[in-house]
Amino acid sequence: MRYKLAIFDLDGTVLNTIGGLTHAVNAALAMNGLPGKTRDEVQAMIGNGTRKLIERALFEVPDGILLIEKVYADYNKFYVENCSYDTYPYEGIEDMLKTLNDAGIKCAVVTNKPDIPAKKLIQENFGSLIAETHGNVPEVPVKPDPTFVYETMKDLGVKPSEAVYIGDSDVDIRTGKNAGIDYISVDWGFRTREFLLANGAERIFSKPCELGEYLTGQQA
């Protein structure tokens, strides 16, 4: 096998969360008398953590900077309680994770999604197929900071040369680079193949089964 550890992003990589994220953003905006956003608008705002998502949602709102803390708090409370709404694994992800586990490759998730809903969603959808999940917590910088990638490798007893980071965004590419490990992009999520290539992607997969074959060494 090519690797001993595959670390995945969450949103747009293993789970399609855009429906639930849009639902939560619009709920928080509505609580504050503000108009909602489309799925495409929210999708373009995702990638740098929840606070940045809310900042982007309020960018064109007059005095939006004054509302950030309130909308951010409303969003977090609503999302923790409703994070499973319209959220599901991409087709083929569960089978790919089973293939990796059967091959002896440990699987983990490092995401900028807040830690509580991240752990809840991974447990609900994948159970023991994912050995460890790290979501954002206040005292640790969000990706592309590699802190949780390092911690995951240490916890699971894997060297950097034995690990790979997999995600659907430019943030994920930079996360792999910053951690000093291999990185792979996928284009079934929130960013296009063209966007990924323009932002430094070197290897891109369009199907989970093909990614699984590569990670296990079945594909060159």
Side-chain angles (χ1 to χ4, degrees), residues 137-158:
V137 292
E139 62 271 21
V140 178
V142 297
K143 297 182 307 182
D145 181 273
T147 297
F148 276 140
V149 174
Y150 294 151
E151 186 166 329
T152 299
M153 290 188 290
K154 179 181 178 181
D155 290 347
L156 298 179
V158 175

Side-chain angles (χ1 to χ4, degrees), residues 5-6 8 14 89 92-109 122-133 156:
L5 171 63
F8 294 89
V14 294
I93 290 294
E94 185 174 2
D95 287 341
M96 178 198 66
L97 293 174
K98 289 178 179 177
T99 295
L100 299 184
N101 275 258
D102 289 345
I105 299 173
K106 298 174 183 178
C107 299
V109 166
I122 293 301
Q123 180 59 37
E124 286 179 351
N125 287 279
F126 304 118
S128 61
L129 291 175
I130 301 291
E132 186 166 308
T133 299
L156 298 179

Side-chain angles (χ1 to χ4, degrees), residues 74-91:
D74 289 339
Y75 173 92
N76 282 329
K77 184 175 186 300
F78 184 90
Y79 191 68
V80 166
E81 296 170 353
N82 298 274
C83 64
S84 300
Y85 177 86
D86 198 10
T87 289
Y88 49 88
Y90 286 99
E91 184 177 358

Side-chain angles (χ1 to χ4, degrees), residues 38-51:
T38 67
R39 289 168 70 105
D40 287 346
E41 287 174 328
V42 173
Q43 183 166 308
M45 298 172 184
I46 295 168
N48 297 94
T50 302
R51 185 178 179 83

